[in-house]
Amino acid sequence: MKVKQAIRKIIILGGGTAGWMAAAALANNPVFAAIELCLVESDNIGTIGVGEGSTPHLKRFMDNLGISEKDWMEQCHASYKTGIDFINWNGDGQQYFHPFYFQMDVKPAEVFFINANARRRGHGNAVKPDAFFSSGVLAKHNLSPRPNKTLPCTNEYGYHFDATELANYLKDYACQRGVRQIIADVVEVSTSQHQQIETLILANGERLSADFFIDASGFSAKLIHKALGVPFQSFADELLNDSAVTVPVPALMDSTQTQQAKYHTRATALSAGWLWQIPLTHRLGNGYVYSSRHLSANAAAKELLHSVNLPESTQVRFLKLRVGVSDKAWHNNVLAIGLAQSFIEPLEATSIMMTQFTLEKFMSLFERYQLNKQAETLSRQTLNQAVMQLVLGIKDYIQAHYVTSQRSEAYWVAARKVAISQRLTQLLKAWYQGDDFDLLLYQYDQQLAYFRPSWYALLAGMDYRDPKLKRPFEPISAEITAQAISYCQTLVEQYFQPKYS
């Protein structure tokens, strides 16, 4: 079979976090050593700035680049993240914590699982994940997930960061490794008769050609959608939040405020969506993600400012969100990443993770992709299937936050009635009816973006159950439950307490 012509130049369209993640990752990968890498970005387009939190996957990405955690975190005003606190999602003032799970949590987590199964079958009181996971205890006591002594296993944590500064940091990294940056506006895109991107035409008339293109142009998706016409699959009727209003609050450096600093994200349910609060070292990021069908922009701004105790005259920033996914992330000679590829509201901070997943999958397939036409087609199919599966798995989990809520406002009633997948329907039905939930998790294992601890944290945290149900189940003893909670507390005291305490 005829060998394809080798790819000699790749152009990334769009900077921001996604574009510069791509540039940094490719520049660091020996497979791309002989390929010219170029990134084109406009200085007239700002970054979206919605995602300033991460899952634990980001640590692996930065470690693979050989970047010191202390170095990048300091420049990006980053703080550690132990998980997410969900506040008032049932309208009853209650809250629960979605923790990051690691190996030392295995035994106490099992006690939590048993108690949660007892509760949904009509036995015992409501049980929340907070006290059964070390990260939940860390959040409660305001402690960093970085241990003060060596742990017997690797712990899991995420980050909060300034997305603009992270993009700048990765830009410096990539440019030092040979990536060429061009600041210009792309006014036209030319394609071949075979629907391959050939040339980007800049505002100054310059024409940039390449063999392969990465579309990191944000919601505009200039290459994957506008130039190649790949359809966009909207989730607007399944995830109602299509807008956001944001306002940062500077961090106060006095000792009282320092004591109140947090190492976790807060997600507080409001009348037509939810409020994020993300603690950075220099500011507290606040944003209200809401449905414009249920709330006007001005009313959303007013509710946001009231929620964070700021005067109504405070300047805010409005954002429109395009929720959904490209039918194909990789089509012909274009790979879409970031917002050009997909966007699901930042409730579980998955945007950066999706970009990272796509890049890592692409890099693992790239050498095979260049072999021949058959390998080229198979590589694209493999990546597209993997990306779509992950996006739909994330969508299921995000939807579960809404369809299990008991809030009574019009928005929440509508959010409960949206169409959900057969997979999510079966999972929720099994939990609600007291059936074998773990068996279903096992059967869907390869399709789920979130696994057992996360599903249990959400469904038990929301106390989602049939209050009339009473099925046989042997609850665990109060003594064992107390021992599990004590174990997590002792673990935190042993490995994570500040040295001065």
Side-chain angles (χ1 to χ4, degrees), residues 53-342:
S54 84
T55 66
H57 293 84
L58 183 60
K59 184 176 189 304
R60 185 183 72 237
F61 183 83
M62 303 303 276
D63 286 347
N64 286 343
L65 295 181
I67 294 173
S68 155
E69 185 175 80
K70 182 179 183 300
D71 187 43
W72 81 262
M73 287 185 69
E74 189 171 308
Q75 182 167 320
C76 300
H77 309 291
S79 64
Y80 292 107
K81 175 183 171 183
T82 54
I84 306 171
D85 214 6
F86 287 88
I87 302 165
N88 206 24
W89 278 70
N90 274 326
D92 55 3
Q94 296 293 309
Q95 61 194 75
Y96 73 90
F97 192 72
H98 181 189
F100 292 136
Y101 174 73
F102 73 112
Q103 194 177 340
M104 290 179 73
D105 291 328
V106 169
K107 290 182 179 179
E110 198 61 42
V111 175
F112 164 65
F113 299 150
I114 295 171
N115 278 313
N117 283 320
R119 172 66 173 173
R120 70 188 179 92
R121 286 168 173 150
H123 304 274
N125 298 320
V127 57
K128 296 177 183 177
D130 310 38
F132 296 91
F133 296 84
S134 52
S135 60
V137 179
L138 287 168
K140 179 183 177 182
H141 294 289
N142 228 351
L143 297 172
S144 165
R146 288 286 292 173
N148 290 317
K149 58 178 75 170
T150 304
L151 285 165
C153 60
T154 303
N155 63 328
E156 296 283 325
Y157 56 82
Y159 306 99
H160 308 109
F161 51 88
D162 183 318
T164 301
E165 290 302 329
L166 179 60
N168 287 336
Y169 187 96
L170 293 173
K171 174 174 68 177
D172 291 342
Y173 176 96
C175 290
Q176 287 169 12
R177 286 157 180 78
V179 176
R180 179 188 172 203
Q181 179 196 24
I182 297 175
I183 298 176
D185 292 317
V186 174
V187 294
E188 191 178 338
V189 179
S190 69
T191 59
S192 72
Q193 60 179 345
H194 302 295
Q195 280 295 289
Q196 302 272 338
I197 302 289
E198 288 188 330
T199 308
L200 306 184
I201 303 166
L202 308 183
N204 64 3
E206 186 179 354
R207 304 172 71 91
L208 299 176
S209 300
D211 307 298
F212 195 91
F213 295 82
I214 295 178
D215 190 351
S217 62
F219 286 140
S220 66
K222 287 185 176 180
L223 303 183
I224 197 74
H225 295 319
K226 290 183 177 175
L228 295 186
V230 173
F232 177 75
Q233 187 181 142
S234 174
F235 296 156
D237 293 329
E238 299 160 275
L239 290 167
L240 303 183
N241 297 336
D242 60 358
S243 305
V245 55
T246 69
V247 63
V249 178
L252 299 177
M253 300 309 294
D254 62 86
S255 59
T256 304
Q257 290 293 327
T258 302
Q259 290 300 313
Q260 295 173 1
K262 299 292 182 183
Y263 291 99
H264 61 271
T265 303
R266 290 175 179 267
T268 304
L270 297 180
S271 70
W274 57 277
L275 164 71
W276 81 69
Q277 291 183 288
I278 295 178
L280 308 184
T281 59
H282 69 315
R283 72 167 188 241
L284 180 66
N286 304 287
Y288 184 8
V289 183
Y290 66 96
S291 165
S292 65
R293 282 170 278 186
H294 297 86
L295 196 67
S296 70
N298 287 337
K302 186 175 180 179
E303 190 174 359
L304 167 66
L305 294 171
H306 174 74
S307 299
V308 298
N309 298 314
L310 289 175
E312 288 186 24
S313 58
T314 305
Q315 188 172 1
V316 298
R317 182 184 179 201
F318 295 98
L319 303 168
K320 290 301 292 182
L321 310 174
R322 187 190 69 156
V323 184
V325 62
S326 173
D327 275 0
K328 297 177 183 177
W330 187 354
H331 183 59
N332 294 345
N333 65 336
V334 172
L335 174 72
I337 61 172
L339 303 179
Q341 176 209 98
S342 61

Side-chain angles (χ1 to χ4, degrees), residues 471-498:
R471 293 185 62 169
F473 191 84
E474 188 174 339
I476 207 162
S477 72
E479 181 184 6
I480 292 176
T481 297
Q483 287 175 354
I485 293 171
S486 176
Y487 171 86
C488 282
Q489 186 69 41
T490 301
L491 182 71
V492 167
E493 290 172 358
Q494 182 178 355
Y495 290 102
F496 297 94
Q497 284 283 13

Side-chain angles (χ1 to χ4, degrees), residues 341-361:
Q341 176 209 98
S342 61
F343 179 78
I344 292 177
E345 61 185 75
L347 187 58
E348 292 283 352
T350 51
S351 185
I352 297 283
M353 181 187 77
M354 275 305 312
T355 297
Q356 180 180 342
F357 175 85
T358 305
L359 288 170
E360 289 174 352
K361 196 72 176 174

